């Protein structure tokens, strides 16, 4: 049942501290402070390339995975939505890993891509939530998300547990490739171990985000901006909003604003900005993109840490101060406020949150 919640989606959003912890427990060794994947039938040190294929929200998890794997393990990653992958005749590399991400493990396009890669001799790794699924059965290795059953059509806890698994994969590959120092591996593992507790702190902003949703619910169009892994969270936030509230939303890399979308900005367009502090000072670049938006009347809703919120207090219409964390794990936590914002906006709109029109939980036709 839904417990104390009005919708399965709300219940599933609030389960995230628990299920992220359950997912991490299978791979994190607290005594050694290290990450261990299940036994693999190949040596990770030899992997020349990773190809990621998925659909929808699972694809956005893959996009975060690409940023993580390339940064942490220095292995090139190619990523496609499954419906495009096979038909462009992708060039696969011998000994490459093909990584499929799917809550259901049954999505037709993703499964067809998996079979294509298997026939081409790739190592098949899948990140799935349903251990009995076709993808799980047909893979060389299954990295399980322990999200439990996800009933709401809009994916929430499946996404953050997929991110948790992908973070562990990136760390394990980095260790195998010798691109991570033992000290950095320990720090990343410790940052991951903190995520369940930090996620609970993020959920405490529920009421503040419900207030912000009153403003978003009035909008016809909404923009989501971010850089780096926050760009993927911007895309995911926009998808979540459009599928359950039916408000038109777009996610953009913040640096792309001036290449076109800034033309859309006026006082009626909420601009949701995902901007944790990071290793590369992308924060400052995002902050200046936000100033350009505000100069054109954009109404900014800012998700950052306390320092970032302080910096933008005169600029943003609303701001939420997120916990201070290692930038590596930020996308797992910043997924939560965009889920809550979509949820409360949809509730205000009176839509069928758990079963939005035209959508199915599992898409088994191409
Ligand atoms: C969005 C959503 C869909 C799924 C997509 C892939 O909230 O739920 O975009 O993420 O249909 O489904 P799986 O992960 O089952 O392959």
């Amino acid at each position: 049942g839904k417990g104390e919640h009005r919708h399965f989606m709300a219940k599933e959003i609030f389960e995230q501290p628990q299920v992220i912890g359950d997912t991490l427990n299978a791979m994190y060794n607290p005594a050694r402070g290290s990450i261990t994947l299940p036994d693999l039938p190949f040596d990770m040190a030899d992997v020349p390339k990773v190809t990621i294929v998925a659909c929808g929200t699972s694809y956005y998890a893959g996009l975060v995975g690409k940023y993580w794997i390339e940064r942490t393990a220095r292995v090139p990653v190619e990523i496609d939505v499954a419906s495009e992958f096979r038909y462009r005749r992708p060039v696969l590399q011998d000994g490459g890993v093909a990584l499929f991400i799917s809550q259901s493990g049954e999505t037709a396009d993703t499964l067809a891509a998996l079979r294509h890669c298997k026939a081409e001799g790739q190592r098949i790794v899948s990140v799935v939530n349903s251990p009995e699924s076709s993808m799980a059965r047909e893979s060389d290795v299954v990295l399980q998300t322990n999200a439990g059953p996800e009933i709401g059509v809009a994916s929430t806890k499946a996404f953050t547990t997929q991110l948790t698994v992908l973070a562990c994969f990136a760390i394990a590959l980095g260790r195998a490739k010798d691109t991570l120092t033992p000290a950095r591996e320990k720090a990343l593992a410790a940052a991951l171990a903190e995520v369940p507790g930090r996620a609970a702190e993020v959920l405490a902003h529920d009421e503040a985000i419900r207030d912000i949703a009153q403003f978003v619910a009035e909008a016809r169009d909404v923009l989501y901006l971010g850089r780096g892994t926050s760009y993927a969270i911007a895309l995911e936030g926009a998808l979540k909003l459009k599928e359950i509230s039916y408000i038109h939303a777009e996610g953009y890399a913040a640096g792309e604003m001036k290449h076109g979308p800034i033309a859309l900005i006026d006082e009626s367009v909420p601009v949701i900005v995902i901007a944790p502090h990071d290793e590369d000072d992308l924060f400052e670049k995002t902050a200046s993109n936000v100033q350009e938006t505000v100069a054109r009347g954009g109404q900014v809703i800012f998700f950052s840490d306390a320092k970032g919120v302080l910096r933008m207090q005169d600029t943003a219409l609303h701001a939420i101060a997120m916990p201070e964390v290692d930038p590596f794990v930020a996308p797992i936590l910043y997924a939560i406020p965009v889920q809550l914002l979509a949820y409360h906006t949809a509730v205000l709109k009176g839509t069928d949150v758990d079963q939005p029109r035209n959508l199915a939980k599992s898409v088994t036709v191409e």
Side-chain angles (χ1 to χ4, degrees):
K2 298 170 206 167
E4 66 198 87
H5 297 282
R6 255 176 87 184
H7 299 98
F8 282 107
M9 183 179 179
K11 171 177 174 264
E12 290 162 3
I13 290 172
F14 277 83
E15 276 172 356
Q16 288 176 111
Q18 178 68 43
V19 295
I20 292 169
D22 293 345
T23 300
L24 197 56
N25 279 342
M27 291 171 292
Y28 172 64
N29 181 329
R32 292 184 26 224
S34 65
I35 299 291
T36 322
L37 296 187
D39 281 336
L40 306 178
F42 55 88
D43 189 348
M44 275 189 136
D46 300 333
V47 172
K49 180 179 165 187
V50 176
T51 301
I52 300 180
V53 185
C55 298
T57 288
S58 298
Y59 170 78
Y60 296 139
L63 196 53
V64 175
K66 172 184 165 78
Y67 281 71
W68 276 338
I69 293 167
E70 291 190 335
R71 172 177 290 261
T72 309
R74 309 302 299 147
V75 173
V77 178
E78 203 170 356
I79 176 162
D80 279 277
V81 292
S83 55
E84 287 298 316
F85 176 70
R86 277 172 307 145
Y87 303 109
R88 72 174 174 83
R89 297 179 184 252
V91 180
L92 299 168
Q93 205 162 324
D94 279 352
V97 162
L99 186 77
F100 301 88
I101 307 166
S102 177
Q103 188 285 127
S104 60
E106 300 294 349
T107 300
D109 278 310
T110 311
L111 184 57
L114 183 154
R115 288 176 177 156
H116 172 83
C117 288
K118 199 168 181 174
E120 296 285 313
Q122 294 284 290
R123 315 280 198 182
I124 309 298
V125 178
S126 62
V127 177
V128 295
N129 195 44
S130 310
E132 312 294 321
S133 60
S134 306
M135 281 183 226
R137 276 197 310 271
E138 297 182 30
S139 299
D140 298 321
V141 186
V142 177
L143 304 176
Q144 166 93 26
T145 53
N146 288 323
E150 192 180 61
I151 310 293
V153 163
S155 186
T156 54
K157 61 177 181 168
F159 179 68
T160 48
T161 53
Q162 286 165 347
L163 291 179
T164 303
V165 169
L166 291 166
C168 292
F169 182 83
I171 293 169
L173 191 57
R175 182 178 52 227
K177 291 280 181 186
D178 241 347
T179 52
L180 263 187
T181 62
R184 185 65 186 142
E185 180 187 349
K186 261 202 151 98
L188 292 181
L192 271 175
E194 261 191 40
V195 167
R198 297 286 97 87
E201 291 170 25
V202 174
L203 290 168
H205 290 294
D206 184 45
E207 263 182 50
I209 294 171
R210 197 173 60 202
D211 292 341
I212 298 173
Q214 296 190 350
F215 171 64
V216 175
E218 302 294 311
R220 198 191 60 181
D221 308 288
V222 179
L223 278 179
Y224 286 74
L225 303 179
R227 284 173 181 259
T229 53
S230 300
Y231 165 44
I233 302 305
L235 293 168
E236 168 60 5
L239 177 63
K240 221 77 309 170
L241 188 72
K242 67 186 118 180
E243 67 182 334
I244 60 170
S245 77
Y246 315 144
I247 295 172
H248 170 241
E250 303 251 16
Y252 265 96
E256 274 290 295
M257 276 300 278
K258 49 173 146 312
H259 300 286
I262 201 163
L264 293 173
I265 298 296
D266 65 25
E267 293 73 17
S268 69
V269 181
V271 181
I272 322 283
V273 181
I274 297 114
H277 276 89
D278 58 281
E279 301 98 331
D280 304 314
D281 235 6
L282 293 176
F283 177 87
E284 282 307 320
K285 295 212 161 79
T286 303
S288 71
N289 300 135
V290 169
Q291 304 288 4
E292 292 156 9
T293 304
V294 168
R296 286 156 186 85
Q299 306 284 327
V300 171
I301 296 161
F302 203 67
F303 296 121
S304 185
D305 40 45
K307 205 166 46 155
V309 165
L310 195 65
R311 165 97 161 65
M312 298 303 281
Q313 62 183 358
D314 300 329
T315 308
L317 178 67
H318 297 285
I320 296 287
M322 299 280 290
E324 205 88 45
V325 290
D326 189 301
F328 180 79
V329 302
I332 312 179
L333 292 169
Y334 282 69
I336 297 173
V338 300
Q339 295 166 348
L340 286 170
L341 186 60
Y343 173 72
H344 288 301
T345 304
V347 170
L348 287 168
K349 287 276 197 178
T351 59
D352 188 347
V353 171
D354 284 333
Q355 293 234 275
R357 67 187 185 201
N358 308 341
L359 294 175
K361 185 67 188 158
S362 185
V363 181
T364 51
V365 286
E366 286 190 31

